[in-house]
Amino acid sequence: MSADALLLDVRGASKAFGSTTVLAGVDLGVHRGEFVSLLGPSGCGKTTLLRIVAGLLGADGGTVRLDGADITGVPTHKRGVGVVFQSYALFPHLSVADNVAFGLRAQRRPADGIKATVARFLDLVHLGALADRPVRGLSGGQQQRVAVARALAVAPKLLLLDEPFSALDRKLRETMQIDLRHILREVGITTVLVTHDQEEALVMSDRIAVMSKGAIEQLDTPEGIYTRPRTPFALGFVGHSIRIAGKAGQTTDGVLTVDTALGPLRAKGSYLPGSPVLLAVRPERVVVGAPPPDVPSNAVTAALTDIVFQGSKVHLHFAAADVTLLVETNRIPPGLSPGATASLSWGLADTMLFPGETA
Amino acid sequence: MTLTERLGAFFVWIVAIAAAVFLLTPLVVTVLVSFGSSAVFTLPPPSLSMRWYQRLMTLRGLAPALVTSVQIAAFATLVSLVLGALAAIALARTRFPGRDGVVAFLTSPLMLPGLVLGIALLQGFRFIGLIDVWTSLLIAHVVITIPYAVRTLYSALGLFDFTLLDAARTLGCSPAEAIVKVLLPNLAPAFITSAIFAFLASMDNYAVSIFFTNAWTKTLPIQMLTFAEEQPDPTIAAVSSLLIALVLVLLIVLERAIGLRRITEV
Ligand SMILES: Nc1ncnc2c1ncn2[C@@H]1O[C@H](COP(=O)(O)OP(=O)(O)OP(=O)(O)O)[C@@H](O)[C@H]1O
Ligand SMILES: [Mg+2]
């Protein structure tokens, strides 16, 4: 896609509070109509980036472009960026309908239009029946939907959601995620969601930006991040993985041999011999038993320590030489019980290779 | 209910009723006496009459004192609300060493005996050469009333979620509009509460005012004491009854506007 299809284009955004750098030159491009999640652990700067995009916080450096226009110096109320806050920030002195009408009135839209718009957006979030209720007594899920309707009613160019599900209990969260995704698709609005919950990011996003310590480590589709994580952090933050540290050996035909505590293993790539590397594989790519002879594979021997039945899948915990190996299968392999040793193997193509930590 | 619970509830009611009687008796006596015909304080009054209320009209010095008191109370309340609101915002929005100390300092006139406060202010005014009675009274009454504004507004701001202002801005309000449309309506109960308490505290003050009044400028409580010394008849009771009526009216206004429950919360 060409660069001018970017609705939101953040370049080199940086921010420091005192001597702590919170954002270190972040680039983020979001296409028109796209749903992008900022995924990262607490304190990595997600909210800070969001507030900079909304204009609620001034960046120390960098530019923010929205719909082709540079809005770096434009005040919040002229940006056309809607926000659903983590606490929802509903106006306690107003009713549900007046909350939704607030932005329309602030922008001095004609009165008859306001009524119709409020009704339309309350219907969209299935709250038509609660229009005249005060917001105080609403449940968490209802409050969230009022906040969404209120933000959408003024027809912003971009919608920002800051952990909108964190106040909801787990069960409700899952249905609300799918629900909200539907609503936002229907409206067709470009959305940036902030979350530290990988499931949430995987469920909702077209693309995920994995953030760590004030930088975006990888911006890719959920599948891309899961199958091709670019950094050990992205690997660890999304999904489970087996990680085996080692030292690079020789490279032949583009395949590197790595010396590990589990014996020599191979991966596609090339490193200076002797440099520390990290090998990784997703648990569901590992099979219990000998590798098929015609596929280039890695194989190790490990002892089964635990079997965790999880309904549709089974987690087998193995250990070998201080490395824990998690294997995910569909059913418990017959004849295997804790204490037994087994051979584990996975394809060379499934073996991920990262630079290791210099000890 | 168990027996002990019943006894407990019974005891609580007894204490509550006793406290109410103890607090209300002087007020009831005052009102009764003001409607009595007797020139001395007799209970029950021999017959009912409005003579003391009629005498109010002819009493020299009462009207000017009332005007002075209302003016001082109104101005002091206004100044206290503005200064108190600014102070409360600064205290609620920033962290600095000694912040709690500043809160304690601003609310300390509530705790200090009026005489101490009065003498201190008098010395202070002498020191800076302030001799104007009206100005001295006003400043003194700002000192008396500012604790009510700071305390009420500070605790209201502590409960106020400032993200609401951010939300208003993302919906198209300029920062000033956000304050008018969101902060003020949410703080209105606190403003009304502190205004009424500040106004009443100023109207009622005697101990501090005594240092700053002279023969020509007197506040109502001081003028009333002068009357009581010169001519101890139930006219004073009539004035007091009117003041009680004023407080009742203000309390009813408060109750209607925001509910008594919320006043006692802040
Ligand atoms: N106003 C501020 N003053 C000082 N430090 C701040 C301020 N705002 C944020 N920080 C710091 O910046 C860092 C990033 O904060 P931010 O709120 O962006 O994190 P986050 O990724 O949203 O985390 P969370 O998931 O906990 O919400 C944190 O270490 C935080 O303490
Ligand atoms: Mg945050």
Side-chain angles (χ1 to χ4, degrees), chain A residues 96-121:
Chain A
V96 168
D98 286 337
N99 263 276
V100 179
F102 185 93
L104 300 163
R105 295 198 176 118
Q107 300 182 5
R108 307 207 165 69
R109 306 274 177 88
D112 43 346
I114 291 180
K115 222 171 158 209
T117 310
V118 169
R120 187 155 55 86
F121 279 95

Side-chain angles (χ1 to χ4, degrees), chain A residues 266-287:
Chain A
R266 295 176 305 152
K268 280 183 185 148
S270 164
Y271 277 85
L272 225 58
S275 52
V277 293
L278 179 71
L279 293 178
V281 59
R282 294 295 184 187
E284 73 280 4
R285 311 306 297 179
V286 180
V287 291

Side-chain angles (χ1 to χ4, degrees), chain B:
Chain B
M1 256 205 282
T2 68
L3 186 65
T4 31
E5 274 174 348
R6 260 183 228 207
L7 271 177
F10 178 71
F11 191 70
V12 166
W13 271 106
I14 293 291
V15 171
I17 290 169
V21 168
F22 181 74
L23 290 173
L24 288 179
T25 305
L27 304 186
V28 173
V29 168
T30 306
V31 174
L32 285 180
V33 166
S34 77
F35 286 108
S37 57
S38 162
V40 287
F41 288 60
T42 35
L43 265 187
S47 65
L48 293 180
S49 112
M50 292 297 286
R51 59 189 281 213
W52 308 118
Y53 287 88
Q54 281 155 3
R55 222 175 88 77
L56 280 183
M57 310 293 165
T58 61
L59 209 56
R60 282 189 51 212
L62 182 66
L66 182 64
V67 169
T68 305
S69 261
V70 169
Q71 280 179 341
I72 294 282
F75 271 107
T77 301
L78 196 70
V79 173
S80 286
L81 282 191
V82 173
L83 294 182
L86 294 176
I89 289 174
L91 289 167
R93 289 302 280 167
T94 54
R95 301 261 169 278
F96 56 89
R99 196 172 60 109
D100 293 341
V102 174
V103 177
F105 174 75
L106 285 172
T107 51
S108 64
L110 273 184
M111 269 80 83
L112 284 180
L115 283 176
V116 174
L117 204 58
I119 292 174
L121 284 167
L122 186 66
Q123 301 246 338
F125 291 165
R126 282 230 181 105
F127 184 74
I128 60 170
L130 177 66
I131 47 166
D132 181 62
V133 173
W134 213 85
T135 315
S136 310
L137 264 180
L138 180 63
I139 295 176
H141 278 236
V142 168
V143 172
I144 296 162
T145 53
I146 210 163
Y148 296 96
V150 170
R151 203 180 53 171
T152 311
L153 293 174
Y154 178 63
S155 67
L157 279 173
L159 297 175
F160 181 77
D161 175 9
F162 280 85
T163 326
L164 296 185
L165 295 185
D166 291 343
R169 287 166 61 199
T170 63
L171 292 166
C173 286
S174 68
E177 281 173 331
I179 286 178
V180 172
K181 287 191 177 157
V182 176
L183 183 72
L184 289 189
N186 277 289
L187 286 195
F191 274 109
I192 296 175
T193 309
S194 40
I196 289 183
F197 279 109
F199 188 83
L200 291 178
S202 169
M203 282 294 285
D204 181 52
N205 184 274
Y206 177 84
V208 176
S209 304
I210 190 77
F211 291 94
F212 305 103
T213 46
N214 61 17
W216 303 278
T217 310
K218 283 185 180 168
T219 59
L220 190 61
I222 289 173
Q223 185 63 55
M224 281 168 67
L225 202 78
T226 316
F227 290 147
E229 281 165 357
E230 289 167 355
Q231 229 176 353
D233 66 31
T235 320
I236 299 298
V239 180
S240 305
S241 300
L242 289 179
L243 287 177
I244 292 170
L246 170 74
V247 172
L248 276 180
V249 167
L250 287 180
L251 280 180
I252 289 167
V253 168
L254 261 185
E255 160 63 23
R256 279 288 149 83
I258 51 182
L260 275 178
R261 193 170 287 279
R262 285 187 67 187
I263 305 168
T264 45
E265 268 168 17
V266 290

